[in-house]
Amino acid sequence: MDRELKNFLKELERFGIDNDNGLTDKSKRMRNVTSETGEFLSFMISLTKSKNILEIGTSNGYSTLWMADRIAENEGLVTTLEYSPYKADLAKVNFEKANMTKWINLLVLEAGEYMKTLHPNSFDFIFLDSERKEYVEWWKSLKKILKKNGLIIVDNIISHYPELHDFIDLVTKEKDFVIFQLPIGSGLLLLNKK
Ligand SMILES: C[S@@+](CC[C@H](N)C(=O)[O-])C[C@H]1O[C@@H](n2cnc3c(N)ncnc32)[C@H](O)[C@@H]1O
């Protein structure tokens, strides 16, 4: 990663923490992943040589930029979904500042309805970091749009385990998936489609 992007990510990390501190209005909180999770996402994209990435939950684009850095190496594209125009506007500015717009397709829409319109096997890597109560409902679409050998990474499985309990229960019943839980950042669930 070049030094400018590294410094910009540090700036965004600081902004996210300062902005969210004491802010109760969830719609204005950035709720960014930790830098450790950002590093891990970036590493996994490089390791899997993923080209078609879907992120559900852009916020101001902090995690997107971690992924886009590696997608540039793989000559792929990160499609990222955000339904809040307020946050999407912040993300757009951040992608421009980081000079990364070429590698990112930001869509301002509701993720659940959008995923229903996608073709099967569209993505080889999905990062799920959105409203956790929706995940059970979204599972049918998620497994359809993920390619064979593809990977889904879900954030917050330690920090918000009770909210993700039903989802974890559902996915562990899937015969076509290998599942791992990792104590990285807020806790990550890795789902690998066989
Ligand atoms: C935890 S934040 C994402 C943080 C971001 N991944 C990062 O680390 O920088 C979750 C985001 O998902 C968005 N969101 C929630 N439900 C959504 C939905 N149904 N469709 C699209 N975006 C949604 C929220 O507006 C919020 O910005």
Side-chain angles (χ1 to χ4, degrees):
M1 177 181 293
D2 72 42
R3 196 180 312 163
E4 269 181 48
L5 182 58
K6 208 170 198 162
N7 288 339
F8 187 52
L9 283 169
K10 280 212 177 95
E11 202 184 295
L12 287 183
E13 184 185 4
R14 191 72 261 155
F15 167 77
I17 293 167
D18 291 345
N19 177 80
D20 291 8
N21 247 338
L23 198 66
T24 45
D25 180 357
K26 204 173 167 186
S27 70
K28 296 281 186 307
R29 285 169 58 210
M30 298 302 120
R31 299 160 61 209
N32 300 129
V33 296
T34 64
S35 56
E36 189 191 15
T37 295
E39 290 267 16
F40 183 73
L41 291 171
S42 169
F43 167 70
M44 288 308 285
I45 287 168
S46 184
L47 195 71
T48 58
K49 298 189 171 49
S50 297
K51 278 177 181 280
N52 299 308
I53 306 220
L54 178 69
E55 176 180 53
I56 306 164
T58 317
S59 185
N60 64 333
Y62 177 71
S63 50
T64 323
L65 286 172
W66 274 105
M67 295 192 282
D69 179 48
R70 292 303 177 104
I71 212 65
E73 271 175 26
N74 297 356
E75 303 218 326
L77 185 73
V78 184
T79 298
T80 184
L81 314 180
E82 175 56 61
Y83 68 4
S84 154
Y86 168 71
K87 291 184 182 176
D89 283 350
L90 293 177
K92 190 168 176 285
V93 171
N94 288 334
F95 299 157
E96 280 160 9
K97 277 190 187 164
N99 209 10
M100 282 289 187
T101 51
K102 185 176 171 197
W103 311 110
I104 300 169
N105 177 26
L106 169 63
L107 300 177
V108 188
L109 43 70
E110 199 285 310
E113 285 309 307
Y114 176 67
M115 282 193 287
K116 286 182 194 163
T117 69
L118 292 170
H119 292 296
N121 310 313
S122 298
F123 296 96
D124 33 33
F125 191 105
I126 299 175
F127 178 49
L128 184 53
D129 188 23
S130 182
E131 282 314 317
R132 292 169 285 273
K133 62 177 175 2
E134 309 281 5
Y135 295 178
V136 168
E137 178 86 24
W138 291 353
W139 179 238
K140 200 172 156 204
S141 298
L142 286 164
K143 62 179 178 181
K144 179 192 81 174
I145 63 177
L146 184 70
K147 283 183 189 163
K148 195 169 183 284
N149 297 320
L151 190 64
I152 300 178
I153 299 187
V154 186
D155 196 23
N156 301 110
I157 64 140
I158 294 174
S159 61
H160 293 78
Y161 180 78
E163 288 177 30
L164 284 168
H165 183 267
D166 289 352
F167 179 72
I168 295 168
D169 235 33
L170 177 70
V171 296
T172 43
K173 288 188 189 115
E174 291 283 349
K175 298 224 168 11
D176 291 346
F177 280 81
V178 184
I179 296 164
F180 306 94
Q181 297 190 19
L182 297 180
I184 291 175
S186 306
L188 299 176
L189 183 71
L190 270 64
L191 306 164
N192 181 215
K193 192 178 191 178
K194 288 191 219 163

